[in-house]
Amino acid sequence: MSSAMDAFQSISGLNKVWYPEEKLIQQANIQSFLRNHHLKDIEELHEKSLKEPQWFYEKILQELDIQWLEPFVNLLNIEKGYPFPQWFSGGKTNILHYTIEKHIRNGRGDNKALTWEDEVGKTHLYTYQDFNIKVNELASALYSIGIKKGDRVGIYLPSIPEAPISLFACAKIGAIIIPVFSGYGADAVALRMNEGEAKLLITADGYMRRGKFINMIKEASKAADAVPAIKNVLIVDHNQSRFEYRESRDISYHHLVSMYKNKTVKTEVLAADDPFMIMYTSGTTGKPKGTVHTHTGFPIKAAIDQYFCFDVKNTDTFFWLSDFGWMMGPWLTLGAAVHGAEIILYNGSADFPTNDRLWELINKHQISIFGISPTLIRSLMAKESEVPELPSLRILGSTGEAWNPDAWEWFLEKVGKGRCPIINYSGGTEVSGGILGTYPIKPIKICSFHGPIPGMAAAIVDDSGNEVKSTVGDLTLHAPFLGMTKSFWHDDGRYLQSYWSRWESVWAHGDFAAVDEDGFWYVLGRSDDTIKVAGKRVGPSEIEAAVTSHPKVKEAAVISTPHELKGEVPVVFAVLHEDCAEEKLEDELRLHAGKSLGKALQPKGVYIVSDLPYTQSNKIARRVIRAAYLGEARGDTSALRNEGALAEIAEKGERK
């Protein structure tokens, strides 16, 4: 634990602090909320949101203009215990009713809803009215092929307009979507479709990535063959490529929808807690976990976080570089739709055809809120290209993994030009957004968070479940929260085991966190990856930071391996910068890490590898790295961005 504290103190002791301009403070949503409700600061708001949830949700639902078909009679029912709360009992609504249709009712139908662009600059714009027409046409088409309330529909699409159109069309008729990452192969798609018993798969013929055609229909067809429940495959002819339709199963999306041009269907009246989405987490041990999200949980939680943390307004143009199969795709789409903002949907790579691709996109569409992962920032940094002026930007967003100081500062200074706050955001798919957030009206310390988001009863605890101050512990939640998954699809037992089994009535999130003496919060990696060396607890991120502080190391991953005397010891896999030779470097890196960590926590070994496996949400897949190295069962590896990296790691294990 002493090493973890040393690393935490090193990070929190950095002097870089960003300060907001007065204009940003006064115009921010959260400042307006504080002022209107006579709250002195964010801390009082957070405290009141927990002590008086009825007051808080009444006020924020009013601010977001959440409209009901029938009002709820009870905000929160916990008769079944904290793991199974019922929100908005008696309430009836539909996502469409309080998003797309709301803006049309409010006279904003001609406002921009979505602009799509591909790698080579082809664009298409939809107003809220245009988008609503497309949603109704697809909803009519889905009815015609037998899709009804409660049916599950897989969405296996790249970032093209048909992805959000499919989401809203399914929601309109009460069907439940299962979004899956567009980069998955057939086995990964089939696994999720079988788990969710999908009746329909919506896919595309393919898409262009880095100038090359990705044959999506080939994988989709293989997946559909392996899922008995799938009756039809609806295929978007996105690239107008030639492929063979399977008679009686495959249907042309555009041909079917053209038969229902300008048709409308009634928006289904649904209970507030009716599910609209099963989103599978990128599990690297065992089968993936199907988190279940409701018509009022995920969308409203996303909108609340966007309101308080990202300062989203209906005048904003919001972009997050994400696949629709990762949580941030639906999060962006639904939260922005509540607010009436415009989203930019980009189907392409961050650095193709040039390294300036994202900066061109920002200036072309006057993007004001820009979200990206630290991994991609590190990649763009390495290219050493100049970032132009981006005057439309006012907010920078980040989630998915921990920052390192150099990348955080580069993002702040090079992209944001020192004007724009980095809104660090941490939570997960099972949370529908964030537990910890950052606010644009307060000074921001490098790599930090300001703390729990309103409505989130977060605390850091020790192994016994006691709250701790100024030390490293487990991030937990001590009350039900809006947006928490209802359970795992048809698997309450695994849900309870995953989040509620460690301490009674406490959600154990699985993150290692700490708060410094100034009140800034830090997420320090997964607590379930924590390594105990002879009783000393150390998070892998501390060891990774020690190794990557060497100038020749680009990135690193740490795992624990069994040891006769110490219980477990750390082993490191390091990727070097392209121009660095690896001769005799492995032992040098081991000693280099030991200088920072102390001899007791010095890695047992360091291995140079060419690549590391990451999940689709850009998290290092440490557990599957460990399995490959030790020759153990790897579980589901379908969520890995680069599964091929495991072969090299396994080879290192065989030679140890």
Side-chain angles (χ1 to χ4, degrees):
M1 180 65 79
S2 61
S3 174
M5 277 301 299
D6 288 345
F8 160 58
Q9 289 167 357
S10 174
I11 296 170
S12 61
L14 296 172
N15 293 324
K16 183 70 178 184
V17 178
W18 175 88
Y19 293 91
E21 295 179 356
E22 187 63 25
K23 181 180 179 182
L24 177 58
I25 295 172
Q26 294 306 320
Q27 293 181 352
N29 292 336
I30 192 165
Q31 186 69 21
S32 175
F33 194 88
L34 295 175
R35 192 165 48 237
N36 292 343
H37 299 291
H38 310 291
L39 299 166
K40 64 179 181 181
D41 54 28
I42 292 170
E43 289 70 28
E44 186 179 3
L45 165 61
H46 181 256
E47 183 179 358
K48 192 166 184 177
S49 75
L50 301 181
K51 288 184 176 179
E52 300 180 43
Q54 189 79 36
W55 171 87
F56 172 69
Y57 284 103
E58 177 186 326
K59 298 304 181 187
I60 193 60
L61 294 180
Q62 183 180 18
E63 183 65 39
L64 298 176
D65 193 18
I66 303 300
Q67 300 180 2
W68 301 87
L69 292 163
E70 293 181 26
F72 63 89
V73 294
N74 186 9
L75 173 71
L76 176 60
N77 183 333
I78 54 171
E79 289 179 356
K80 295 181 180 179
Y82 278 12
F84 299 104
Q86 183 181 7
W87 289 88
F88 309 122
S89 304
K92 299 289 181 67
T93 191
N94 187 300
I95 292 168
L96 262 292
H97 180 70
Y98 65 84
T99 57
I100 310 300
E101 294 174 352
K102 173 184 76 176
H103 299 303
I104 294 170
R105 288 194 301 272
N106 292 350
R108 301 186 68 248
D110 290 335
N111 288 46
K112 294 178 183 178
L114 181 151
T115 298
W116 170 78
E117 181 163 328
D118 67 7
E119 279 186 334
V120 296
K122 180 182 176 182
T123 62
H124 197 96
L125 166 68
Y126 297 82
T127 65
Y128 276 95
Q129 186 64 56
D130 296 333
F131 193 81
N132 191 52
I133 290 169
K134 295 297 181 185
V135 167
N136 271 278
E137 289 173 349
L138 178 57
S140 302
L142 294 177
Y143 267 141
S144 76
I145 57 174
I147 301 300
K148 59 186 185 303
K149 178 183 176 182
D151 286 340
R152 274 77 66 198
V153 176
I155 300 179
Y156 177 45
L157 288 168
S159 294
I160 57 176
E162 287 79 5
I165 289 169
S166 296
L167 181 157
F168 283 105
C170 288
K172 187 177 180 73
I173 63 176
I176 302 168
I177 65 165
I178 307 174
V180 290
F181 177 44
S182 65
Y184 279 156
D187 290 347
V189 177
L191 180 65
R192 288 153 177 78
M193 295 303 106
N194 271 317
E195 283 286 325
E197 303 166 290
K199 186 175 178 179
L200 171 71
L201 181 63
I202 303 176
T203 189
D205 57 343
Y207 57 95
M208 301 300 292
R209 180 56 57 97
R210 304 189 69 81
K212 296 180 180 178
F213 177 69
I214 307 299
N215 190 336
M216 203 168 190
I217 189 59
K218 180 181 177 182
E219 298 301 315
S221 293
K222 287 180 184 177
D225 288 344
V227 184
I230 288 179
K231 304 303 179 187
N232 293 111
V233 178
L234 193 57
I235 304 165
V236 178
D237 187 11
H238 178 64
N239 269 81
Q240 300 180 341
S241 56
R242 293 185 179 181
F243 57 91
E244 192 171 325
Y245 278 87
R246 176 152 323 168
E247 194 174 342
S248 80
R249 187 191 72 181
D250 296 350
I251 303 171
S252 165
Y253 178 105
H254 294 299
H255 176 70
L256 181 65
V257 167
S258 69
M259 297 168 62
Y260 296 92
K261 191 170 179 61
N262 294 321
K263 294 287 185 182
T264 60
V265 297
K266 180 179 177 293
T267 299
E268 192 78 25
V269 178
L270 300 169
D273 66 344
D274 275 341
F276 90 95
M277 178 171 70
I278 305 166
M279 178 154 268
Y280 284 87
T281 62
S282 53
T284 53
T285 56
K287 65 182 182 179
K289 301 171 288 189
T291 62
V292 180
H293 297 287
T294 71
H295 270 256
T296 54
F298 190 105
I300 297 177
K301 167 62 174 167
I304 289 171
D305 293 2
Q306 289 180 13
Y307 176 85
F308 285 122
C309 297
F310 295 91
D311 199 38
V312 177
K313 309 173 192 297
N314 62 22
T315 53
D316 275 311
T317 303
F318 198 176
F319 170 74
W320 205 288
L321 189 61
S322 171
D323 189 89
F324 198 76
W326 180 38
M327 187 206 83
M328 296 307 289
W331 179 90
L332 170 67
T333 300
L334 290 163
V338 172
H339 289 286
E342 176 191 6
I343 66 168
I344 303 298
L345 198 61
Y346 174 59
N347 186 36
S349 297
D351 58 354
F352 184 86
T354 70
N355 293 337
D356 295 331
R357 189 66 188 91
L358 290 182
W359 321 136
E360 292 170 355
L361 195 75
I362 290 168
N363 278 331
K364 179 177 180 179
H365 298 289
Q366 293 297 286
I367 291 168
S368 51
I369 305 173
F370 171 66
I372 195 169
S373 72
T375 292
L376 280 168
I377 286 297
R378 285 190 284 269
S379 173
L380 293 168
M381 280 176 65
K383 300 180 188 304
E384 297 183 349
S385 58
E386 193 66 31
V387 181
E389 290 293 329
L390 304 168
S392 64
L393 284 185
R394 64 184 192 86
I395 301 287
L396 304 176
S398 157
T399 193
E401 59 182 312
W403 281 100
N404 61 296
D406 287 348
W408 189 92
E409 192 161 1
W410 189 90
F411 193 32
L412 180 76
E413 298 296 343
K414 298 295 185 180
V415 180
K417 308 302 181 186
R419 296 183 297 104
C420 307
I422 296 176
I423 304 301
N424 218 4
Y425 185 62
S426 183
T429 302
E430 60 277 74
V431 176
S432 301
I435 296 172
L436 303 179
T438 315
Y439 307 105
I441 65 171
K442 296 182 70 175
I444 302 171
K445 213 170 181 179
I446 189 168
C447 303
S448 72
F449 302 83
H450 284 131
I453 294 166
M456 306 301 282
I460 298 170
V461 304
D462 62 18
D463 288 340
S464 300
N466 300 313
E467 188 169 356
V468 295
K469 302 288 185 183
S470 301
T471 191
V472 177
D474 286 280
L475 180 62
T476 58
L477 289 153
H478 294 249
F481 51 93
L482 183 63
M484 62 186 277
T485 176
K486 284 188 75 172
S487 184
F488 296 156
W489 183 251
H490 291 169
D491 200 345
D492 288 350
R494 191 178 180 204
Y495 163 65
L496 291 170
Q497 179 63 34
S498 296
Y499 298 111
W500 298 97
S501 62
R502 193 166 176 190
W503 302 286
E504 186 177 353
S505 298
V506 173
W507 172 291
H509 194 62
D511 277 340
F512 213 24
V515 183
D516 72 10
E517 61 184 10
D518 298 318
F520 289 93
W521 290 56
Y522 299 84
V523 173
L524 303 165
R526 296 294 293 173
S527 60
D528 50 9
D529 290 332
T530 300
I531 304 168
K532 286 188 178 179
V533 184
K536 301 177 182 69
R537 191 180 185 199
V538 59
S541 62
E542 291 95 55
I543 303 174
E544 288 162 2
V547 175
T548 55
S549 68
H550 192 286
K552 291 186 178 180
V553 178
K554 179 182 177 184
E555 55 186 343
V558 174
I559 62 166
S560 69
T561 60
H563 190 274
E564 275 186 23
L565 297 177
K566 298 181 179 180
E568 39 182 14
V569 291
V571 167
V572 182
F573 299 91
V575 179
L576 304 181
H577 291 291
E578 290 181 7
D579 59 348
C580 295
E582 64 176 86
E583 184 181 357
K584 297 181 180 179
L585 195 58
E586 291 182 340
D587 198 49
E588 180 183 329
L589 292 176
R590 186 176 64 83
L591 296 172
H592 175 79
K595 289 179 183 177
S596 172
L597 298 163
K599 191 173 181 180
L601 294 171
Q602 181 173 281
K604 176 188 175 184
V606 176
Y607 295 102
I608 306 299
V609 293
S610 57
D611 202 2
L612 294 173
Y614 279 80
T615 68
Q616 68 175 84
S617 53
N618 292 313
K619 296 175 183 175
I620 296 173
R622 295 190 187 94
R623 282 174 286 177
V624 77
I625 291 173
R626 186 177 189 274
Y629 178 72
L630 296 177
E632 298 173 347
R634 300 177 189 178
D636 172 37
T637 60
S638 60
L640 298 184
R641 203 175 64 196
N642 45 350
E643 187 178 359
L646 294 175
E648 187 178 3
I649 290 166
E651 184 183 334
K652 302 289 186 184
E654 291 166 2
R655 290 162 48 190
K656 69 179 183 289

